[in-house]
Amino acid sequence: MKNVKAILLIADGLGDRPIKELGGKTPLEAAKKPNLDRLATEGECGLMDPIAPGVRAGSDTSHLAILGYDPYKYYTGRGPFEAAGIGMHVRKGDIAFRCNFSTVDENMVIIDRRAGRITSGTDQLAAAVRGMKIDGIEVLFKESVAHRGALILRAADLGAGITDTDPHHEGAKILKSEAIDPNDPASARTAAAVNEFVRRSYELLKHHPVNRERIAQGLNPANIILPRGGGIGPNIESFESEHGLKAACVAETGLINGVARYVGMDITEVPGATGGLDSNLINMAKAIIEQLSDHDFVLCNVKGADLGGHDNNPQAKIDMVGKLDEMVGYLLANIDEHTYLALTADHSTPCAIMDHSGDPVPIVFYGEGVRTDRCNRFDERSVTAGGLGRIQGVDVVKILTQLMNVQQKFGA
Ligand code: ZN
Ligand code: ZN
């Protein structure tokens, strides 16, 4: 049997709306992109609603959907994906949180939610709080970049229906976590553990040598850890057991790596993949080709276009399309005829909105046997001439696996 493989390339936030300064074109329409247009010409195109028509998708919920997992069933909050994204193993039933190292005064009033955007020493601070037990609950904590980290509370019968301790602005006192539903003892137990974790983090960190040093330098000490966005680890089947495809992920952000790790994909570090506009996309393309040698499926997320949208910077988006085009050129030159390539976005991030919108995004499937259509340009409006019509995120892997001819038949 031939060795069929697939690449699913997701340009984060690529979709946009017509922009006056671009003569009414979207950045994708305004950009030069011969390789993307070649994909459109030789492939099958259409529009995709990442979650459903009009739903404003987050990157995490959208990636879940595009990988075939209904986010309304599997997305329980950002915490589990953040924790997975920094390499923590989130198990079913764990309550996971994203956390900030913050600065409080002795009255528990927030002085700085990001502890002076601390850049070093958080590994030592994390070590100081790691391994504690609270009321029989196992506490796992890991630092991430800058002032960020993630917390896992592990025990049977914990609930995630709790309020945050982080008041989200400076000058306010930290809040007491409580169960949202007073008749939910599992969540009440979690809330009590969170309050105790926050209290103990202050006790353990306030005189820590890292913080003594920061104070001596006139910097805000990272003297407390505030968890938020708690969610329960869902019961989720791995991508490999769902589709029979050994999968890897090439991505730049912890959030996407978190989603990928969650569904059992192997994670790759790529030198020069910064997650910014300066990211080295050719290195990412090389990593994809490398991963294809021992995986059947590679998911790749390129972040840059989303930043251009959030910053209302159409030119940055146009520049990212140019880099993406070079990347696709590299991929086309280095894949064989048994490799499929799907290119799409996880949502639109229109410059005018400076955030994610519910507009659908263009998608193209390229590879042996696809039904080539009348579309010959890869952009938001040209793809409406394509053969796919308008599909949803959860359709994407189904369409890919049937093209690859690796899908089980439904029925006789
Ligand atoms: Zn995104
Ligand atoms: Zn975004």
Side-chain angles (χ1 to χ4, degrees), residues 214-288:
R214 287 183 68 79
I215 292 164
Q217 290 175 12
L219 300 168
N220 281 333
N223 61 11
I224 199 161
I225 300 173
L226 298 180
R228 68 186 197 278
I232 190 160
N235 189 10
I236 197 162
E237 283 282 333
S238 76
F239 190 85
E240 185 167 357
S241 56
E242 285 278 307
H243 304 289
L245 300 172
K246 191 167 183 300
C249 174
V250 175
E252 301 171 285
T253 65
L255 193 62
I256 303 304
N257 280 331
V259 175
R261 201 187 301 271
Y262 227 84
V263 300
M265 293 184 173
D266 293 328
I267 307 298
T268 336
E269 292 261 335
V270 182
T274 60
L277 302 167
D278 62 344
S279 194
N280 189 330
L281 304 196
I282 296 298
N283 280 1
M284 293 184 78
K286 286 179 181 164
I288 292 171

Side-chain angles (χ1 to χ4, degrees), residues 101 118-130 141-144 146 201 204-205 208-214 222 225:
F101 283 99
I118 183 168
T119 52
S120 65
T122 53
D123 52 338
Q124 296 166 60
L125 298 175
V129 300
R130 197 173 293 141
F141 180 84
K142 194 174 174 197
E143 77 286 359
S144 171
S201 75
L204 291 163
L205 299 183
H208 192 282
V210 168
N211 282 329
R212 283 184 200 276
E213 181 61 30
R214 287 183 68 79
I225 300 173

Side-chain angles (χ1 to χ4, degrees), residues 56 306 308-313 349-356:
R56 295 179 59 212
D306 185 53
H310 282 289
D311 293 344
N312 186 16
N313 186 345
T349 308
C351 292
I353 305 285
M354 297 176 77
D355 203 345
H356 307 180

Side-chain angles (χ1 to χ4, degrees), residues 10 41 72 83 88 122 124 133 139 150 166 199 206 216 223 229 241 249 293 301 304 317 321 331 338 356 382:
I10 298 182
T41 305
Y72 292 109
M88 299 178 86
T122 53
Q124 296 166 60
K133 271 214 164 200
V139 177
D166 183 346
R199 190 190 71 75
K206 65 179 174 184
N223 61 11
S241 56
C249 174
S293 65
N301 175 284
K317 267 185 123 162
V321 174
L331 291 174
H338 304 309
H356 307 180
S382 299

Side-chain angles (χ1 to χ4, degrees), residues 12-13 57-59 303 305-307 309-310 346-349 354-356:
D12 209 296
S59 294
K303 179 72 181 163
D306 185 53
L307 303 175
H310 282 289
D346 57 344
H347 48 76
S348 297
T349 308
M354 297 176 77
D355 203 345
H356 307 180

Side-chain angles (χ1 to χ4, degrees), residues 9-11 14-15 26-48 321 324-325 328 341-345 361-366 373-384 388:
L9 177 56
I10 298 182
L14 181 65
T26 69
L28 196 50
E29 288 169 340
K32 249 188 131 68
K33 47 177 175 45
N35 291 305
L36 303 193
D37 290 340
R38 182 185 151 197
L39 280 186
T41 305
E42 298 176 19
E44 187 172 4
C45 299
L47 278 177
M48 187 212 21
V321 174
L324 197 67
D325 193 72
V328 167
L341 174 59
L343 169 66
T344 188
V361 295
I363 185 164
V364 58
F365 291 90
Y366 169 92
D373 53 35
R374 281 180 296 132
C375 174
N376 54 19
R377 293 172 79 90
F378 185 74
D379 62 62
E380 296 88 341
R381 284 181 279 205
S382 299
V383 296
T384 58
L388 283 171

Side-chain angles (χ1 to χ4, degrees), residues 4 44 340 365 368-370 398-405:
V4 191
E44 187 172 4
Y340 289 86
F365 291 90
E368 200 179 22
V370 299
K398 276 183 275 184
I399 291 171
L400 259 181
T401 53
Q402 79 83 21
L403 282 170
M404 296 163 77
N405 199 19

